[in-house]
């Protein structure tokens, strides 16, 4: 009999007490190293633990992650929280349940099979007992026995429709985010910096500016360190006055070799790069010769995180020790880089997670934590709160990479795919903290003794890849070749943005397969199904088509179109297909998005639907609206007028269907709808106008230009 491998997070943290405990009032304490960023994983994990322990979910309390008391599970990213942390907590809960069952049986003199468990109470003997009476320190110190977790045998998850207890308070503005935290004797801080990584400072302008800042009523400290200017004040309103004073002075001179926004694709392909062969399989000359070859190039611009909630952190120094409250995605990674930046041992830094109002990848949360800690050193013993402004949020947070994706596909005389080549040009998609020998924190690169800038790299293909994520086509072809060209220049900081390279790669591949189908006069759904041999992939395509009424007789309406697209996220995650219905007026008007997904075991259906819907809406915004305005002076976006996002009125109704597979492991839902939504929109535009849009964003101006270029001379 084969033995299942030990999950990596359990191998690093094997003790039961690292995951579960029992508090004084008998409730189960559950600890996870994954943080809740609003996606609701704490609710889902709570349900998984309750199900294994056979207790009401209210009897399980999720402990807020911190480096002081939580297992280190790395960064909360890649739609892996349920897969990784959920699996670990299920094993831990199963072990605790069976250990307590055995202890109860021994005390009652019963065979284990005679012990019953109902709503957290073990019975069968003279008196029943709960987890609080049975668990002790010795039990919690034991290593988790993986054999305690029984197969699900197709059972659906208990409490799958249980309501989250945080949504209502968020809707009504009652939920406490980190931005709302107030600690005794707390001060407020702001850090001002240049817009680019390559900048200098006008020394002559500094002293007059410093004098004006110190003269503001309520200012406690004014500090400069290299390119950084910091202000500590007694009230947040004072910092707004300080910010206006800084803006009136040309303190920094920018010197960045940044291309204009319209030249990014050519710039990416012209830069020095490092090429990796992701896939190279099949014969150079397939048995079925190519009868027709299709070639196209697709592109997306640099993107901003554009979180509506602003990044915020609180820091406090107590002697040589530092405490930080942050909405970071990786508390342990942040701790490591803060320790490096301030020359501290790691155990002198504690990072406590506090909820933030939105996060779509590596945004500015870690940088704000550094800013707060850097400035709090000037007021030891007192907590200091630091929140970026909207301008700082748009200008200073890492960008999502611009990308160029070239696809060449060949079909035989019968229209079957015989060869596929996909080439990607992009910078690396990861420069997160905790992964390099030096701190990957913006402020640490800008002090008088700066750490070297950490150049973005890609996760390995085995972990889902970065720029190459989903670059391997899902469709059967005898010859497949995928190349990733990592651009080495980084004049603007880039890092992980939701779905990494999958957004552009799926857009390219699903646009190409659609182009081929239409050129051959084939139904795009049927053509995809012919080239897929995975029944789960076929099932989500058919389900999305069913939701949308694909193929049903309907009168053709001018300017309206429908498109379909599919991907399995990272080729190992959730399966997702999307049908987009839209209308072309002055621009694209989305009439509906129909999403079908297979995420294996559905732990919390409402949470999965919310993640799929949110991903689809954000992908629509990226595809139709968003492009970072860049140039030699950095990012020229101070407000929403300079960086428009999809508004509430333009968001399409989203219909979601889940294919529950309780006999299969759970798969994450947060990012799988991004690529298919983008491609489905492009395919629907082609259906409506016969116009293939290969560059994002597909604005009204871009559509008009493309239509003009397509007109015969």
């Amino acid at each position: 009999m084969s033995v299942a491998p030990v999950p990596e997070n359990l191998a690093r943290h094997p003790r039961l007490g690292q995951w579960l405990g029992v508090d004084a009032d008998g409730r189960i304490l559950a600890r996870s190293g994954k943080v809740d960023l609003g996606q609701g994983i704490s609710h889902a994990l709570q349900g998984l633990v309750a199900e294994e322990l056979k207790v009401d979910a209210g009897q399980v309390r999720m402990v807020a992650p911190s480096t002081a008391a939580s297992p280190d599970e790395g960064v909360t990213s890649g739609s892996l929280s349920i897969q990784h942390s959920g699996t670990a907590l299920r094993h831990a809960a199963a072990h605790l349940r069976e250990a307590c069952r055995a202890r109860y049986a021994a005390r009652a003199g019963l065979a284990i099979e005679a012990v019953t468990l109902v709503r957290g109470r073990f019975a069968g003997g003279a008196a029943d007992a709960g987890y609080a009476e049975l668990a002790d320190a010795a039990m919690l110190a034991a290593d988790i026995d993986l054999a305690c977790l029984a197969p699900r045998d197709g059972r659906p998850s208990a409490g799958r429709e249980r309501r989250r207890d945080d949504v209502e308070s968020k809707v009504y503005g009652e939920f406490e985010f980190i931005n709302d935290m107030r600690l005794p004797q707390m001060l407020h801080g702001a850090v001002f910096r240049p817009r680019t990584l390559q900048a200098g400072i006008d020394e002559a302008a500094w002293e007059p500016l410093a004098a004006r800042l110190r003269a503001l009523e309520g200012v406690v400290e004014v500090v400069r360190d290299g390119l950084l200017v910091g202000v500590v004040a007694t009230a947040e309103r004072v910092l707004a006055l300080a910010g206006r004073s800084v803006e009136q002075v040309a303190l920094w001179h920018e010197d960045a070799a940044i291309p204009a926004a319209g030249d990014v694709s050519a710039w990416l392909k012209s830069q020095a790069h490092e090429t990796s062969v992701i896939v190279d399989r099949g014969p150079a000359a397939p048995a079925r010769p190519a009868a027709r070859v299709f070639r196209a190039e697709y592109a997306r611009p640099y993107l901003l995180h554009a979180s509506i909630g602003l990044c915020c952190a609180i820091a406090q120094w107590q002697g040589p020790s530092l405490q930080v409250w942050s909405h970071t995605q990786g508390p342990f990674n942040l701790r490591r880089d803060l320790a490096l930046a301030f020359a501290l041992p790691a155990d002198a830094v504690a990072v406590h997670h506090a909820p933030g109002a939105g996060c779509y990848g590596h945004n500015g949360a870690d940088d704000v934590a550094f800013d707060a800690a850097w400035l709090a050193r000037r007021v030891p013993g007192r907590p200091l709160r630091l929140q970026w402004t909207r301008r700082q949020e748009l200008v200073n947070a890492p960008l999502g990479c611009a990308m160029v994706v070239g696809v060449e596909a060949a079909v035989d005389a019968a229209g079957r795919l015989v060869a596929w080549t996909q080439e990607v040009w992009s910078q690396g998609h990861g420069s997160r903290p905790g992964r390099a020998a030096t701190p990957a924190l913006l402020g640490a690169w800008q002090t008088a003794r700066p750490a070297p800038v950490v150049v973005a790299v890609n996760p390995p293909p085995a972990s889902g890849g970065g720029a190459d994520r989903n670059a391997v086509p899902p469709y059967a072809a005898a010859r497949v070749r995928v190349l990733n060209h990592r651009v080495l220049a980084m004049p603007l900081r880039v890092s992980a943005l939701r779905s990494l390279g999958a957004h552009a790669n799926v857009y390219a591949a699903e646009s190409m397969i659609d182009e081929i189908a239409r050129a051959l006069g084939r139904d795009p759904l049927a053509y995809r199904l012919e080239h897929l041999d995975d029944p789960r992939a076929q099932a989500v395509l058919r389900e999305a088509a069913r939701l949308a009424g694909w193929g049903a007789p309907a009168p053709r309406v001018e300017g309206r179109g429908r498109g379909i697209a599919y991907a399995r996220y990272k080729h190992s995650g959730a399966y997702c297909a999307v049908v987009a219905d839209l209308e072309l007026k002055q621009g694209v008007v989305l009439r509906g998005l129909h999403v079908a997904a297979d995420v294996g075991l559905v732990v919390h259906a409402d949470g999965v639907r919310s993640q799929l819907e949110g991903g689809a809406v954000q992908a629509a915004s990226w595809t139709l609206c968003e492009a970072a305005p860049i140039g030699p002076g950095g990012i020229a976006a101070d407000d929403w007028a300079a960086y428009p996002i999809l508004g509430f009125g333009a968001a399409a109704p989203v219909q979601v269907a889940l294919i529950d597979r309780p006999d299969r492991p759970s798969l994450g839902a947060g990012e799988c709808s991004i690529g298919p939504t983008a491609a489905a929109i492009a395919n629907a535009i082609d259906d409506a106008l016969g116009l293939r849009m290969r560059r994002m964003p597909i604005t009204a101006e871009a559509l008009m230009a493309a239509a003009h270029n397509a007109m015969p001379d």
Side-chain angles (χ1 to χ4, degrees):
M1 184 179 70
S2 62
V3 178
V6 178
E8 183 181 346
N9 48 0
L10 281 179
R12 292 199 309 267
H13 305 286
R15 287 190 299 105
L16 177 61
Q18 293 174 296
W19 300 91
L20 295 176
V22 183
D23 67 11
D25 64 4
R27 285 202 302 173
I28 304 297
L29 303 177
R31 299 180 180 88
S32 167
K34 299 295 187 181
V35 301
D36 200 318
L37 305 161
Q39 76 276 45
I41 62 164
S42 58
H43 182 82
L45 295 175
Q46 180 190 44
L48 282 175
V49 171
E51 180 185 26
E52 290 297 334
L53 295 178
K54 299 188 184 304
V55 300
D56 293 336
Q59 287 297 108
V60 178
R61 181 166 71 86
M62 296 302 299
V63 178
S66 77
T67 57
S70 302
D72 181 0
E73 293 192 89
V75 176
T76 305
S77 63
S79 297
L80 293 170
S81 296
I82 298 300
Q83 288 170 252
H84 290 177
S85 206
T87 299
L89 281 167
R90 283 188 65 211
H91 277 293
H95 177 110
L96 178 61
R97 182 193 66 231
E98 296 310 312
C100 286
R101 187 193 303 274
R103 180 160 293 176
Y104 179 86
R107 288 181 181 178
L110 297 171
I112 287 181
E113 296 77 13
V115 178
T116 60
L117 174 58
V118 179
R119 300 192 69 176
R121 304 295 296 180
F122 295 89
D128 61 3
Y131 289 100
E133 296 101 306
L134 296 168
D136 60 15
M139 183 183 293
L140 297 175
D143 285 359
I144 294 169
D145 182 356
L146 302 186
C148 294
L149 183 62
R152 298 197 60 85
D153 295 328
R155 293 178 292 114
S157 178
R160 48 186 282 161
E161 297 297 341
R162 185 171 51 87
R163 290 180 60 184
R164 286 171 55 178
D165 57 9
D166 62 327
V167 173
E168 186 173 337
S169 62
K170 287 175 178 175
V171 169
Y172 289 104
E174 299 167 347
F175 188 86
E176 184 176 275
F177 293 101
I178 187 171
N179 312 67
D180 305 309
M181 285 181 62
R182 296 295 184 269
L183 299 179
Q185 296 187 303
M186 189 170 75
L187 295 168
H188 298 265
V191 172
F192 306 99
R193 52 168 49 89
R195 290 175 180 255
T196 67
L197 295 178
Q198 299 82 21
I201 197 163
D202 184 349
E203 296 291 348
W206 164 241
E207 285 303 333
L209 173 61
R212 285 199 297 275
L213 294 174
R214 292 188 182 100
L216 293 173
E217 185 178 356
V219 167
V220 176
E221 288 278 347
V222 175
V223 58
R224 180 188 150 206
D225 183 0
L227 297 175
L228 301 179
V229 171
V231 177
V232 180
T234 55
E236 200 171 4
R237 58 179 173 75
V238 180
L239 301 176
L241 298 174
R244 284 197 285 271
S245 295
V246 173
E247 288 170 6
Q248 292 168 4
V249 177
L251 185 61
W252 300 280
H253 47 83
E254 314 288 354
D255 185 22
I258 299 171
D263 299 331
V264 170
S265 292
W267 179 83
L268 284 171
K269 296 183 73 173
S270 70
Q271 297 300 300
H273 58 265
E274 174 185 86
T275 297
S276 300
V277 179
I278 307 303
V279 169
D280 190 356
R281 66 171 182 250
R288 303 193 317 271
R292 192 168 177 182
V293 178
F294 298 82
R295 296 181 183 89
E297 190 173 275
Y298 307 85
R300 83 165 192 181
Y302 286 106
L303 296 172
L304 303 182
H305 287 267
S307 302
I308 293 175
L310 297 171
C311 287
C312 180
I314 298 173
Q316 183 176 20
W317 290 83
Q318 297 283 4
S321 299
L322 170 64
Q323 286 200 85
V324 172
W325 290 262
S326 169
H327 52 111
T328 176
Q329 286 179 271
F332 285 89
N333 289 41
L334 176 58
R335 180 182 75 167
R336 181 182 180 278
D337 274 19
L338 288 173
L340 285 173
F342 297 109
L344 297 171
D347 59 7
V349 181
V351 176
H352 311 284
H353 186 264
C359 173
Y360 312 113
H362 180 192
N363 66 354
D366 299 301
D367 301 316
V368 170
F370 171 89
D371 288 355
W374 173 77
L375 204 49
R377 282 196 303 178
R378 302 301 293 250
V379 286
R382 297 189 66 175
L384 181 136
R385 175 186 181 274
L386 193 144
Q387 177 177 288
W388 274 359
T389 64
R390 174 64 57 204
R391 174 188 176 279
Q392 291 170 333
E393 188 84 21
L394 295 174
V395 168
N396 296 327
L399 290 159
C401 297
M403 296 180 64
V404 177
V405 183
V407 181
E408 178 181 293
V411 299
D412 63 13
R416 296 279 299 181
L417 283 174
V418 294
W420 187 288
T421 298
Q422 190 149 325
E423 289 193 71
V424 182
W425 287 267
S426 171
Q427 293 151 302
H429 283 245
S431 58
R432 289 185 183 275
R435 296 174 176 174
T438 56
L441 299 167
L442 179 60
W445 304 344
Q446 297 176 318
T447 62
R449 300 180 63 184
V453 172
V454 174
V455 177
V457 297
N458 287 307
S463 299
D468 56 306
R469 183 165 293 182
N470 279 96
V472 179
Y475 303 105
R479 174 74 173 137
V480 176
R481 194 160 187 259
V482 176
L483 303 176
N484 180 36
H485 308 291
R486 182 171 73 94
V487 175
L488 302 177
M490 199 176 77
L492 291 170
R493 186 169 59 142
V494 293
S495 193
L497 182 65
R498 191 176 190 176
S499 83
L500 280 66
H503 174 231
N505 281 314
V506 175
Y507 182 88
E510 289 297 295
S511 293
M512 175 57 79
I513 201 76
D514 218 71
E515 290 191 50
I516 296 171
R518 293 181 187 278
L520 297 175
R522 303 291 303 279
D523 174 71
L525 170 61
Y527 193 72
R528 284 173 169 82
L529 292 172
E530 287 176 18
H531 287 86
L532 288 168
D533 56 10
D534 187 337
R536 295 174 74 177
Q538 294 172 338
V540 293
L541 274 164
R542 289 193 174 100
E543 182 62 11
R546 184 196 66 78
L547 280 180
W550 186 278
R556 185 77 183 182
V557 178
E558 184 179 357
R560 289 191 182 179
R562 169 172 286 180
I564 193 167
Y566 157 79
R568 184 181 186 191
Y569 186 52
K570 295 192 288 190
H571 305 296
S572 60
Y575 298 79
C576 184
V578 177
V579 174
D581 284 314
L582 55 78
E583 185 173 3
L584 278 302
K585 293 185 176 179
Q586 291 180 324
V588 174
V589 178
L590 293 175
R591 297 174 57 83
L593 295 171
H594 312 277
V595 182
D598 173 352
V599 298
L601 167 68
V602 177
V603 174
H604 182 236
D606 186 61
V608 174
R609 284 190 289 265
S610 295
Q611 287 296 291
L612 292 166
E613 181 177 352
V617 171
Q618 185 165 43
S621 185
W622 289 351
T623 305
L624 298 175
C625 304
E626 298 185 37
I630 63 170
I635 302 168
D638 290 351
D639 52 31
W640 295 120
Y643 190 80
I645 62 175
L646 198 70
F648 286 112
V654 182
Q655 188 179 14
V656 176
L658 302 178
I659 300 175
D660 190 14
R661 299 191 185 274
D663 58 331
R664 298 298 183 95
S666 296
L667 303 169
E671 297 168 310
C672 67
S673 62
I674 296 283
T677 299
I681 290 171
N683 295 337
I685 292 169
D686 188 52
D687 182 53
L689 296 181
L691 193 63
R692 179 56 62 179
M693 300 300 293
R694 298 189 177 99
R695 294 181 177 271
M696 297 179 274
I698 308 173
T699 61
E701 294 77 14
L703 281 166
M704 291 179 63
H708 176 77
N709 293 335
M711 293 175 63
D713 295 333

